[in-house]
Amino acid sequence: SAQDVAKIISSMCLTHASLSESSINLPTPSSFWPQGADPGGKGKDGQNGGSGSENSTWKPEIFVQALKEVVPGLNWKDVCLALDHQEFLIKDRPGLSLLLSIVKMGVQSSGLGQHFPVECVYQRWTNVEGQLSLITMILKNPDLYSFADHIYTSVSVDLLKTPPETDNKEVASWMSLHLVDVLLYIADNGFYQQVMEIFKIPIQLCPDILFMALLQINPPVTMSRQELFTTLIPIFLGNHSNSGTILHHAWNNTSFNPSLRHIILHPMSKWYLRTGNRGCSECWTWRRRPNSSNNRRRVCCASIAVWKHPSRHPRSEARSSRDLRLNHCPGWPRTWPG
């Protein structure tokens, strides 16, 4: 069955490095063929054959050929879905290479495509640790397999003033909406710290893509997504080319508000106080204090978070949220909470 084949493949990926030292008396691959003939080619890291020593690693082409003869109607997509079992784990690059080689040969032999079916990776697995190990190794080895080449549903970035650099595969991988979604699922199921480490990559390379992906994934706003929003907001309060577009879109987003507005206000107030009321690069504007014809001061829209929450201001005892009526500057959200 597909489940049995998936378990065999998992075992092969885990034992590839220690096969020659195994205490199990394994037959050589040639013993499966008449007169010791070996149809396998040459290769390394589990691709297109074994290593120099015939029984030092697995030969994926022999395994797939044997399955084709024994189970000619095997559905390789079902095999990939069945990798979601308790023993599945990808520990290193050779293990990933072996898995990809076996599946690639399998789907090609059955006419189901040319590559590992990425939709199987985006399912919500029961073995989230195994799923995380697979995704982590793929992200570390884009030369073997890249999510950038297998985007199931792309993040919509049409609103961004400056388009992302999708020619860079490290950036383009995060255009996959399902990749972000499944990582959030894994984070909320026991692997929060590990997933947050992975998200440091898009936070550094393409925070605008990640932010748009977080907005386009269906609610609810879980702890991991809230943490990412909180981490990303200060980036767009700084000198980022897509700051105005991102914050305006987030503030007026109908799927998450009012919860998203509260998430935005908190880092805004912290950032505004930390920067010494200097404000952000895109939002400086002159505003007049009410009931005064001459007393004008330069303010930033981020200060709304402080003035709407006067207790966060260092001189809150002398201030009131009514002391200053702030209007938005051009390009900033049109409405603020009353």
Side-chain angles (χ1 to χ4, degrees), residues 71-238:
V71 194
L74 181 65
N75 187 319
W76 278 91
K77 186 173 181 179
D78 289 343
V79 172
C80 293
L81 291 172
L83 291 173
D84 180 15
H85 62 87
Q86 190 174 0
E87 291 80 20
F88 179 80
L89 191 70
I90 300 297
K91 298 188 298 183
D92 50 26
R93 176 185 170 92
L96 174 65
S97 178
L98 180 60
L99 171 66
L100 295 175
S101 296
I102 293 173
V103 174
K104 180 179 179 180
M105 294 176 189
V107 296
Q108 287 177 344
S109 67
S110 57
L112 293 177
Q114 299 293 321
H115 304 284
F116 189 100
V118 71
E119 61 269 25
C120 298
V121 182
Y122 295 149
Q123 298 288 326
R124 298 197 167 191
W125 289 24
T126 302
N127 178 13
V128 289
E129 181 180 8
Q131 184 178 24
L132 179 60
S133 72
L134 175 58
I135 293 174
T136 301
M137 292 310 303
I138 289 176
L139 289 172
K140 288 182 177 179
N141 298 279
D143 58 318
L144 295 182
Y145 191 92
S146 175
F147 289 116
D149 299 325
H150 307 280
I151 294 178
Y152 200 57
T153 302
S154 180
V155 178
S156 176
V157 293
D158 296 339
L159 293 175
L160 298 182
K161 182 172 67 175
T162 304
E165 299 178 2
T166 51
D167 291 339
N168 182 339
K169 278 197 172 184
E170 276 193 287
V171 173
S173 293
W174 295 100
M175 288 291 292
S176 173
L177 196 64
H178 285 81
L179 173 60
V180 178
D181 188 23
V182 76
L183 283 172
L184 291 174
Y185 163 75
I186 294 172
D188 295 328
N189 283 273
F191 294 89
Y192 177 85
Q193 293 296 337
Q194 295 90 327
V195 172
M196 289 300 113
E197 282 296 315
I198 293 176
F199 274 128
K200 286 182 179 180
I201 300 171
I203 288 173
Q204 181 180 1
L205 294 177
C206 49
D208 44 2
I209 293 178
L210 179 58
F211 198 97
M212 294 300 289
L214 294 172
L215 288 178
Q216 292 167 32
I217 296 171
N218 292 330
V221 179
T222 59
M223 182 180 72
S224 56
R225 193 171 351 182
Q226 179 174 334
E227 179 65 25
L228 287 171
F229 276 133
T230 304
T231 302
L232 289 166
I233 290 295
I235 295 176
F236 300 112
L237 291 173

